[in-house]
Amino acid sequence: MEKLRESLHEAPIIDKDGYSYLVHPLSNGVPMLDPQLLREVVVGVTRVADLDVDKIVAPEAMGIHIATALSLQTDIPLVVIRKRSYGLDEEVALHKTTGYSDSEMFINDIEADDDLLIVDDLLSTGGTMAAICDALDDIGANISDIVVVFRKVGGSALDETDYEVTSLLDISVDQSGVTIHD
Ligand SMILES: O=P(O)(O)OC[C@H]1O[C@H](OP(=O)(O)OP(=O)(O)O)[C@H](O)[C@@H]1O
Ligand SMILES: Nc1ncnc2[nH]cnc12
């Protein structure tokens, strides 16, 4: 994970009403995402993830490019959990909160008994992932694995659940920069 580590030292931090927010190619699409970095991440995910699944699931927006690259690499189909409703039959809505926002998301085309790998760029409060896991569980899907690129240390909403998250790097973020926790 050499490129991933290096990239964190160059990443700007912005203040979102007192919340230190990492601006990183994988988490924001800016600054420019180097294909070699994306490749390193996809290889990293394939090494740790359970790939014996029916579908890769990624939340809009910044899980999408990671999950797309992973889908191309593994031939596993991809479902995106969207921030907009399509009003399709069986669409499931969920409410998610992060450290700086509050919004709805919508799940389509996940069925009971689907085996799923959930992929996202970053886990912070865990508000997004916990809401997604609850909704997928209500549908009756089986969450086989959850992999994120970055996990902010210090505890998350997932700690109170049975779901385990694997991260490529554990980090903390404050105004002075990013610390990697090995
Ligand atoms: O653990 P949490 O506190 O829930 O934060 C993690 C979530 O926050 C970011 O998404 P965001 O909602 O900012 O949307 P984006 O992907 O469109 O940037 C990130 O991509 C994760 O999905
Ligand atoms: N890019 C980011 N940096 C820090 N915390 C976050 N929580 C969600 N996205 C984040």
Side-chain angles (χ1 to χ4, degrees), residues 19-22 27-28 100 122 124 152 173:
Y19 185 93
S20 295
Y21 182 92
L22 171 69
S27 273
N28 299 91
Y100 48 84
L122 186 143
S124 176
K152 284 170 62 177
V173 182

Side-chain angles (χ1 to χ4, degrees), residues 7-25:
S7 68
L8 282 170
H9 297 308
E10 296 153 12
I13 311 295
I14 58 170
D15 182 85
K16 275 187 184 266
D17 295 327
Y19 185 93
S20 295
Y21 182 92
L22 171 69
V23 182
H24 183 278

Side-chain angles (χ1 to χ4, degrees), residues 42 65 71 74-75 84-85 116 124 138 154 161:
V42 170
H65 51 300
S71 174
T74 59
D75 265 336
R84 75 168 53 158
S85 166
L116 306 175
S124 176
D138 286 348
T161 73

